[in-house]
């Protein structure tokens, strides 16, 4: 997709707490399922907005003549055509993401990965050292029409690992000692299945949750 440069400082992330990051996608292609209920303009506060569109529709508007596209561009389209293109803006700082919808049992999840990030304080060499990792958010549809996006919380997963209740490949790496899952997509998906089936208390009651309210929603 042809995207405009965006400002996204990952040290700020989306939250005060840390979301669980992975080198590999959390989904398996056979479980991908697009849900139109997520489309539209949303807000999570006075200074936060979310615009969620179909990746396919956004791509086709920007690339009307497919004959001019390279093989790599067509491959990207085929890979992400069933995903969403998400523009998240908080306090005039914008982030652009691809969010792939997939089912874990009867639950809908989104696999988030940034499309592009840029900062005036970040030079080209520094940018090449940054990885575009994946995160997983449980889509919790509310009866009032709101949507809670509940990301896996690092503190919850780390505690389970320390207690020996789960086993999954991970590393703590870098100067900032970042916690990153290194398991395969198959292992990550099985982990989500077990996590959803567990009776772990307060597993979603963390700061890594955003409540989306549709813009101009009727009271």
């Amino acid at each position: 997709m042809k995207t405009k440069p965006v400002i996204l400082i990952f040290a700020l992330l989306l939250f005060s707490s840390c979301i669980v990051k992975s080198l590999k996608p959390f989904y398996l292609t056979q479980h991908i399922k697009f849900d139109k209920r997520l489309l539209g303009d949303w807000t999570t506060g006075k200074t936060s907005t979310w615009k969620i569109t179909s990746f396919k529709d956004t791509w086709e508007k920007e690339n009307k003549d497919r004959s001019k596209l390279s093989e790599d561009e067509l491959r990207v389209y085929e890979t992400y055509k069933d995903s969403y293109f998400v523009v998240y803006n908080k306090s005039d700082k914008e982030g652009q993401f691809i969010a792939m919808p997939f089912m874990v049992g009867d639950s809908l999840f989104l696999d988030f990965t940034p499309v592009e990030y840029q900062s005036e304080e970040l030079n080209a060499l520094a940018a090449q050292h940054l990885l575009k990792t994946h995160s997983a958010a449980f889509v919790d549809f509310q009866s009032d029409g709101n949507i809670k996006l509940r990301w896996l919380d690092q503190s919850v997963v780390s505690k389970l690992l320390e207690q020996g209740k789960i086993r999954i490949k991970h590393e703590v790496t870098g100067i900032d000692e970042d916690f990153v899952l290194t398991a395969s997509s198959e292992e990550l998906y099985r982990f989500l299945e077990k996590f959803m089936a567990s009776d772990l208390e307060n597993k979603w009651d963390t700061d890594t949750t955003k409540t989306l309210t549709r813009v101009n929603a009727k009271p």
Side-chain angles (χ1 to χ4, degrees):
M1 179 177 292
K2 299 173 182 176
T3 59
K4 296 179 181 179
V6 297
I7 299 173
L8 181 61
I9 303 175
F10 258 86
L12 299 179
L13 293 171
L14 304 177
F15 317 95
S16 57
S17 296
C18 290
I19 60 177
V20 174
K21 300 179 288 292
S22 170
L23 296 181
K24 297 291 186 179
F26 283 85
Y27 63 90
L28 300 175
T29 55
Q30 63 265 35
H31 299 296
I32 293 173
K33 185 177 181 180
F34 190 86
D35 193 316
K36 293 182 178 179
R37 288 178 291 175
L38 283 163
L39 297 175
D41 296 316
W42 305 83
T43 180
T44 49
K46 294 181 179 179
T47 61
S48 300
T49 61
W50 299 71
K51 187 175 186 63
I52 304 178
T53 58
S54 160
F55 179 93
K56 180 179 180 180
D57 291 346
T58 304
W59 173 279
E60 291 178 348
K61 286 179 182 178
E62 295 182 359
N63 301 279
K64 294 182 179 180
D65 187 354
R66 297 189 62 166
S67 65
K68 295 182 179 180
L69 299 177
S70 68
E71 290 186 6
D72 284 342
E73 289 173 321
L74 291 172
R75 178 181 54 78
V76 169
Y77 172 78
E78 288 298 322
T79 301
Y80 298 109
K81 63 183 179 182
D82 295 317
S83 70
Y84 306 94
F85 182 61
V86 180
V87 179
Y88 169 64
N89 193 297
K90 181 176 175 60
S91 302
D92 295 324
K93 287 186 171 62
E94 184 179 279
Q96 297 178 0
F97 299 83
I98 288 174
M100 183 65 77
F102 63 103
M103 301 300 295
V104 178
D106 295 327
S107 300
L108 180 65
F109 273 78
L110 294 176
D111 180 283
F112 275 84
T113 187
V115 175
E116 187 172 351
Y117 46 82
Q118 196 171 55
S119 168
E120 293 178 358
E121 299 178 358
L122 190 67
N123 65 36
L125 180 58
Q128 291 191 57
H129 284 77
L130 301 179
L131 292 175
K132 297 176 181 178
T133 55
H134 297 261
S135 67
F138 167 42
V139 183
D140 192 356
F141 293 101
Q142 304 295 294
S143 59
D144 60 2
N146 291 342
I147 297 175
K148 289 185 180 291
L149 295 182
R150 303 181 183 275
W151 270 265
L152 287 174
D153 189 293
Q154 179 179 317
S155 63
V156 174
V157 174
S158 295
K159 185 176 180 179
L160 290 173
L161 286 166
E162 291 171 2
Q163 294 175 344
K165 292 183 178 179
I166 62 170
R167 294 178 61 186
I168 190 164
K169 296 176 184 176
H170 65 283
E171 294 286 346
V172 177
T173 184
I175 297 173
D176 295 329
E177 296 188 340
D178 288 326
F179 177 89
V180 183
L181 298 181
T182 58
S184 67
S185 292
E186 290 79 5
E187 292 169 318
L188 291 168
Y189 187 81
R190 288 199 298 271
F191 164 72
L192 287 179
E193 287 182 312
K194 293 177 181 178
F195 190 81
M196 290 301 290
S198 72
D199 58 357
L200 178 67
E201 186 177 0
N202 299 325
K203 62 184 176 185
W204 296 119
D205 187 19
T206 71
D207 291 337
T208 56
T209 295
K210 290 292 183 183
T211 301
L212 275 62
T213 300
R214 193 176 292 279
V215 174
N216 298 324
K218 295 181 180 180

